[in-house]
Amino acid sequence: MSSVTVPVAESPTRALAPVVSARNLRVNYGAVRALDGVDFHVSPGEVVALLGHSGSGKSTLMKALTQMAPATADELRIGDTDVLAQRGKDLRELRARVGNIFQHFNLVPNLSALSNVLTGGLYGAGPSNLVGLFPRRQRARALELLDWVGLEDKARQQTRTLSGGQQQRVAIARALMQDPELILADEPVASLDPRLAGSVLALLRRIARERDIPVIVSLHVVDLARRHADRVIGLHSGLVLYEGPAADVDDDVVVAIYGEGGEFDDSDAGA
Ligand SMILES: Nc1ncnc2c1ncn2[C@@H]1O[C@H](COP(=O)(O)OP(=O)(O)OP(=O)(O)O)[C@@H](O)[C@H]1O
Ligand SMILES: [Mg+2]
């Protein structure tokens, strides 16, 4: 497999300190090298798409950022925090600074959209939350966020009655309720039809642009990464085979990341 190196474009945010920096990040599961020494950074306000076949290490990379995978690294930082040095309460605090968005939304189906969003603020809000008494300012903020994601009229509705796209918007509002420094979205549109996929990714992009929160998003469709990400990291067998602007992901880059069969050929997945 050839590797393609494309110079990273100067972006306006590049002079700012990175939100995430990783050097020689490794994760082994027994004999499986899920991440085999990867280097990357994420700058304020950018959307970074992870591409690669099933088993290439996308989810593992995201999990490693909050010690949800057994990682080692020469350097792994979120802001000024040394991720791998955190334990106990410090680790819980670090995790609360990172918002997660999942393929299957992970909402509580019998709770209202508003209650689901409020759970995003649980860590920071003190003991009243333990009995379900959210302070008024938290409820106001949750309603504001539901408004921002376009669901102001669904606040009282149980999330199981919402469409997939609407449920993912609730999950995004819940992540924002944490006031995160970083958002990790692991295949957030894999369960959505293409039109909804575009609108959810556009919303993630607005989060990066308007709120200056960088987003790392794993995707299975190259074209979605081209349209909605600033930068692409292409993984294969735990190695970075491409890192560069999303706009430069052409056929050669697709072959470099996925092999000759392209993105929809999983025959060498995990190889
Ligand atoms: N908890 C685990 N225990 C053992 N092996 C694991 C574990 N999690 C992941 N792996 C292995 O690590 C490698 C990378 O997996 P990972 O889930 O990161 O891939 P991925 O790129 O997210 O794939 P997909 O596109 O299918 O989600 C795979 O070989 C996988 O089988
Ligand atoms: Mg995955």
PDB file of all heavy atoms in Angstrom, residues 167-186:
ATOM      1  N   GLN A 167     -33.448  12.729  17.097  1.00  0.00           N
ATOM      2  CA  GLN A 167     -32.789  12.144  18.276  1.00  0.00           C
ATOM      3  C   GLN A 167     -31.307  12.508  18.290  1.00  0.00           C
ATOM      4  O   GLN A 167     -30.736  12.808  19.342  1.00  0.00           O
ATOM      5  CB  GLN A 167     -32.951  10.621  18.282  1.00  0.00           C
ATOM      6  CG  GLN A 167     -34.381  10.196  18.567  1.00  0.00           C
ATOM      7  CD  GLN A 167     -34.507   8.700  18.812  1.00  0.00           C
ATOM      8  OE1 GLN A 167     -33.738   8.108  19.558  1.00  0.00           O
ATOM      9  NE2 GLN A 167     -35.486   8.092  18.182  1.00  0.00           N
ATOM     10  N   GLN A 168     -30.686  12.508  17.124  1.00  0.00           N
ATOM     11  CA  GLN A 168     -29.262  12.854  17.113  1.00  0.00           C
ATOM     12  C   GLN A 168     -29.074  14.333  17.478  1.00  0.00           C
ATOM     13  O   GLN A 168     -28.091  14.695  18.129  1.00  0.00           O
ATOM     14  CB  GLN A 168     -28.636  12.519  15.746  1.00  0.00           C
ATOM     15  CG  GLN A 168     -27.119  12.450  15.754  1.00  0.00           C
ATOM     16  CD  GLN A 168     -26.530  11.465  16.772  1.00  0.00           C
ATOM     17  OE1 GLN A 168     -26.713  11.621  17.974  1.00  0.00           O
ATOM     18  NE2 GLN A 168     -25.821  10.464  16.281  1.00  0.00           N
ATOM     19  N   ARG A 169     -30.037  15.180  17.118  1.00  0.00           N
ATOM     20  CA  ARG A 169     -29.942  16.583  17.524  1.00  0.00           C
ATOM     21  C   ARG A 169     -30.079  16.737  19.040  1.00  0.00           C
ATOM     22  O   ARG A 169     -29.401  17.571  19.655  1.00  0.00           O
ATOM     23  CB  ARG A 169     -31.027  17.420  16.826  1.00  0.00           C
ATOM     24  CG  ARG A 169     -30.715  17.678  15.381  1.00  0.00           C
ATOM     25  CD  ARG A 169     -31.915  18.225  14.622  1.00  0.00           C
ATOM     26  NE  ARG A 169     -31.562  18.279  13.233  1.00  0.00           N
ATOM     27  CZ  ARG A 169     -30.963  19.340  12.670  1.00  0.00           C
ATOM     28  NH1 ARG A 169     -30.740  20.431  13.378  1.00  0.00           N
ATOM     29  NH2 ARG A 169     -30.620  19.311  11.408  1.00  0.00           N
ATOM     30  N   VAL A 170     -30.955  15.925  19.642  1.00  0.00           N
ATOM     31  CA  VAL A 170     -31.066  15.951  21.113  1.00  0.00           C
ATOM     32  C   VAL A 170     -29.720  15.541  21.718  1.00  0.00           C
ATOM     33  O   VAL A 170     -29.223  16.164  22.667  1.00  0.00           O
ATOM     34  CB  VAL A 170     -32.183  14.997  21.607  1.00  0.00           C
ATOM     35  CG1 VAL A 170     -32.176  14.928  23.135  1.00  0.00           C
ATOM     36  CG2 VAL A 170     -33.547  15.463  21.108  1.00  0.00           C
ATOM     37  N   ALA A 171     -29.105  14.491  21.141  1.00  0.00           N
ATOM     38  CA  ALA A 171     -27.815  14.022  21.670  1.00  0.00           C
ATOM     39  C   ALA A 171     -26.744  15.109  21.525  1.00  0.00           C
ATOM     40  O   ALA A 171     -25.877  15.264  22.400  1.00  0.00           O
ATOM     41  CB  ALA A 171     -27.395  12.741  20.951  1.00  0.00           C
ATOM     42  N   ILE A 172     -26.816  15.859  20.449  1.00  0.00           N
ATOM     43  CA  ILE A 172     -25.852  16.953  20.251  1.00  0.00           C
ATOM     44  C   ILE A 172     -26.091  18.052  21.288  1.00  0.00           C
ATOM     45  O   ILE A 172     -25.145  18.570  21.903  1.00  0.00           O
ATOM     46  CB  ILE A 172     -25.945  17.491  18.806  1.00  0.00           C
ATOM     47  CG1 ILE A 172     -25.373  16.439  17.833  1.00  0.00           C
ATOM     48  CG2 ILE A 172     -25.216  18.821  18.670  1.00  0.00           C
ATOM     49  CD1 ILE A 172     -25.634  16.735  16.369  1.00  0.00           C
ATOM     50  N   ALA A 173     -27.364  18.385  21.523  1.00  0.00           N
ATOM     51  CA  ALA A 173     -27.667  19.390  22.556  1.00  0.00           C
ATOM     52  C   ALA A 173     -27.189  18.911  23.921  1.00  0.00           C
ATOM     53  O   ALA A 173     -26.651  19.689  24.724  1.00  0.00           O
ATOM     54  CB  ALA A 173     -29.170  19.680  22.572  1.00  0.00           C
ATOM     55  N   ARG A 174     -27.363  17.614  24.190  1.00  0.00           N
ATOM     56  CA  ARG A 174     -26.905  17.056  25.470  1.00  0.00           C
ATOM     57  C   ARG A 174     -25.381  17.201  25.609  1.00  0.00           C
ATOM     58  O   ARG A 174     -24.867  17.582  26.669  1.00  0.00           O
ATOM     59  CB  ARG A 174     -27.296  15.584  25.572  1.00  0.00           C
ATOM     60  CG  ARG A 174     -26.817  14.908  26.852  1.00  0.00           C
ATOM     61  CD  ARG A 174     -27.175  13.443  26.900  1.00  0.00           C
ATOM     62  NE  ARG A 174     -26.605  12.707  25.779  1.00  0.00           N
ATOM     63  CZ  ARG A 174     -26.845  11.429  25.509  1.00  0.00           C
ATOM     64  NH1 ARG A 174     -27.644  10.739  26.291  1.00  0.00           N
ATOM     65  NH2 ARG A 174     -26.290  10.851  24.466  1.00  0.00           N
ATOM     66  N   ALA A 175     -24.667  16.929  24.527  1.00  0.00           N
ATOM     67  CA  ALA A 175     -23.204  17.078  24.579  1.00  0.00           C
ATOM     68  C   ALA A 175     -22.825  18.542  24.822  1.00  0.00           C
ATOM     69  O   ALA A 175     -21.892  18.833  25.585  1.00  0.00           O
ATOM     70  CB  ALA A 175     -22.579  16.567  23.285  1.00  0.00           C
ATOM     71  N   LEU A 176     -23.551  19.464  24.197  1.00  0.00           N
ATOM     72  CA  LEU A 176     -23.234  20.891  24.381  1.00  0.00           C
ATOM     73  C   LEU A 176     -23.535  21.352  25.803  1.00  0.00           C
ATOM     74  O   LEU A 176     -22.898  22.287  26.308  1.00  0.00           O
ATOM     75  CB  LEU A 176     -24.028  21.746  23.380  1.00  0.00           C
ATOM     76  CG  LEU A 176     -23.586  21.597  21.929  1.00  0.00           C
ATOM     77  CD1 LEU A 176     -24.531  22.369  21.008  1.00  0.00           C
ATOM     78  CD2 LEU A 176     -22.146  22.081  21.742  1.00  0.00           C
ATOM     79  N   MET A 177     -24.495  20.695  26.440  1.00  0.00           N
ATOM     80  CA  MET A 177     -24.851  21.033  27.826  1.00  0.00           C
ATOM     81  C   MET A 177     -23.654  20.848  28.759  1.00  0.00           C
ATOM     82  O   MET A 177     -23.559  21.474  29.803  1.00  0.00           O
ATOM     83  CB  MET A 177     -26.021  20.121  28.237  1.00  0.00           C
ATOM     84  CG  MET A 177     -26.709  20.506  29.500  1.00  0.00           C
ATOM     85  SD  MET A 177     -27.717  21.985  29.337  1.00  0.00           S
ATOM     86  CE  MET A 177     -28.019  22.309  31.075  1.00  0.00           C
ATOM     87  N   GLN A 178     -22.738  19.990  28.374  1.00  0.00           N
ATOM     88  CA  GLN A 178     -21.509  19.780  29.167  1.00  0.00           C
ATOM     89  C   GLN A 178     -20.548  20.945  29.039  1.00  0.00           C
ATOM     90  O   GLN A 178     -19.523  20.955  29.714  1.00  0.00           O
ATOM     91  CB  GLN A 178     -20.755  18.556  28.631  1.00  0.00           C
ATOM     92  CG  GLN A 178     -21.239  17.228  29.066  1.00  0.00           C
ATOM     93  CD  GLN A 178     -20.476  16.124  28.329  1.00  0.00           C
ATOM     94  OE1 GLN A 178     -21.069  15.428  27.513  1.00  0.00           O
ATOM     95  NE2 GLN A 178     -19.190  15.964  28.595  1.00  0.00           N
ATOM     96  N   ASP A 179     -20.805  21.856  28.081  1.00  0.00           N
ATOM     97  CA  ASP A 179     -19.837  22.907  27.788  1.00  0.00           C
ATOM     98  C   ASP A 179     -18.478  22.297  27.434  1.00  0.00           C
ATOM     99  O   ASP A 179     -17.450  22.624  28.044  1.00  0.00           O
ATOM    100  CB  ASP A 179     -19.672  23.815  29.017  1.00  0.00           C
ATOM    101  CG  ASP A 179     -19.903  25.254  28.638  1.00  0.00           C
ATOM    102  OD1 ASP A 179     -19.776  25.560  27.435  1.00  0.00           O
ATOM    103  OD2 ASP A 179     -20.202  26.060  29.540  1.00  0.00           O
ATOM    104  N   PRO A 180     -18.452  21.416  26.452  1.00  0.00           N
ATOM    105  CA  PRO A 180     -17.228  20.653  26.190  1.00  0.00           C
ATOM    106  C   PRO A 180     -16.155  21.475  25.502  1.00  0.00           C
ATOM    107  O   PRO A 180     -16.453  22.458  24.829  1.00  0.00           O
ATOM    108  CB  PRO A 180     -17.715  19.537  25.257  1.00  0.00           C
ATOM    109  CG  PRO A 180     -18.842  20.167  24.505  1.00  0.00           C
ATOM    110  CD  PRO A 180     -19.509  21.109  25.472  1.00  0.00           C
ATOM    111  N   GLU A 181     -14.915  21.043  25.685  1.00  0.00           N
ATOM    112  CA  GLU A 181     -13.797  21.649  24.947  1.00  0.00           C
ATOM    113  C   GLU A 181     -13.591  20.952  23.619  1.00  0.00           C
ATOM    114  O   GLU A 181     -12.845  21.426  22.759  1.00  0.00           O
ATOM    115  CB  GLU A 181     -12.502  21.464  25.747  1.00  0.00           C
ATOM    116  CG  GLU A 181     -12.342  22.428  26.866  1.00  0.00           C
ATOM    117  CD  GLU A 181     -11.259  21.951  27.820  1.00  0.00           C
ATOM    118  OE1 GLU A 181     -10.145  21.668  27.362  1.00  0.00           O
ATOM    119  OE2 GLU A 181     -11.555  21.865  29.018  1.00  0.00           O
ATOM    120  N   LEU A 182     -14.184  19.771  23.492  1.00  0.00           N
ATOM    121  CA  LEU A 182     -13.939  18.920  22.333  1.00  0.00           C
ATOM    122  C   LEU A 182     -15.157  18.015  22.184  1.00  0.00           C
ATOM    123  O   LEU A 182     -15.731  17.586  23.178  1.00  0.00           O
ATOM    124  CB  LEU A 182     -12.694  18.063  22.620  1.00  0.00           C
ATOM    125  CG  LEU A 182     -12.363  16.903  21.692  1.00  0.00           C
ATOM    126  CD1 LEU A 182     -11.910  17.435  20.328  1.00  0.00           C
ATOM    127  CD2 LEU A 182     -11.257  16.033  22.304  1.00  0.00           C
ATOM    128  N   ILE A 183     -15.533  17.737  20.930  1.00  0.00           N
ATOM    129  CA  ILE A 183     -16.619  16.782  20.695  1.00  0.00           C
ATOM    130  C   ILE A 183     -16.086  15.606  19.885  1.00  0.00           C
ATOM    131  O   ILE A 183     -15.387  15.798  18.879  1.00  0.00           O
ATOM    132  CB  ILE A 183     -17.820  17.462  20.016  1.00  0.00           C
ATOM    133  CG1 ILE A 183     -18.514  18.331  21.057  1.00  0.00           C
ATOM    134  CG2 ILE A 183     -18.778  16.431  19.419  1.00  0.00           C
ATOM    135  CD1 ILE A 183     -19.865  18.834  20.700  1.00  0.00           C
ATOM    136  N   LEU A 184     -16.395  14.394  20.351  1.00  0.00           N
ATOM    137  CA  LEU A 184     -16.043  13.167  19.644  1.00  0.00           C
ATOM    138  C   LEU A 184     -17.340  12.547  19.132  1.00  0.00           C
ATOM    139  O   LEU A 184     -18.239  12.249  19.929  1.00  0.00           O
ATOM    140  CB  LEU A 184     -15.363  12.177  20.595  1.00  0.00           C
ATOM    141  CG  LEU A 184     -14.139  12.686  21.343  1.00  0.00           C
ATOM    142  CD1 LEU A 184     -13.630  11.616  22.312  1.00  0.00           C
ATOM    143  CD2 LEU A 184     -13.040  13.068  20.344  1.00  0.00           C
ATOM    144  N   ALA A 185     -17.436  12.393  17.836  1.00  0.00           N
ATOM    145  CA  ALA A 185     -18.668  11.853  17.245  1.00  0.00           C
ATOM    146  C   ALA A 185     -18.307  10.594  16.467  1.00  0.00           C
ATOM    147  O   ALA A 185     -17.691  10.656  15.401  1.00  0.00           O
ATOM    148  CB  ALA A 185     -19.309  12.901  16.342  1.00  0.00           C
ATOM    149  N   ASP A 186     -18.671   9.423  17.046  1.00  0.00           N
ATOM    150  CA  ASP A 186     -18.283   8.143  16.437  1.00  0.00           C
ATOM    151  C   ASP A 186     -19.415   7.655  15.540  1.00  0.00           C
ATOM    152  O   ASP A 186     -20.432   7.169  16.022  1.00  0.00           O
ATOM    153  CB  ASP A 186     -17.963   7.125  17.539  1.00  0.00           C
ATOM    154  CG  ASP A 186     -17.169   5.942  16.988  1.00  0.00           C
ATOM    155  OD1 ASP A 186     -16.984   5.857  15.763  1.00  0.00           O
ATOM    156  OD2 ASP A 186     -16.754   5.094  17.809  1.00  0.00           O
TER     157      ASP A 186
END
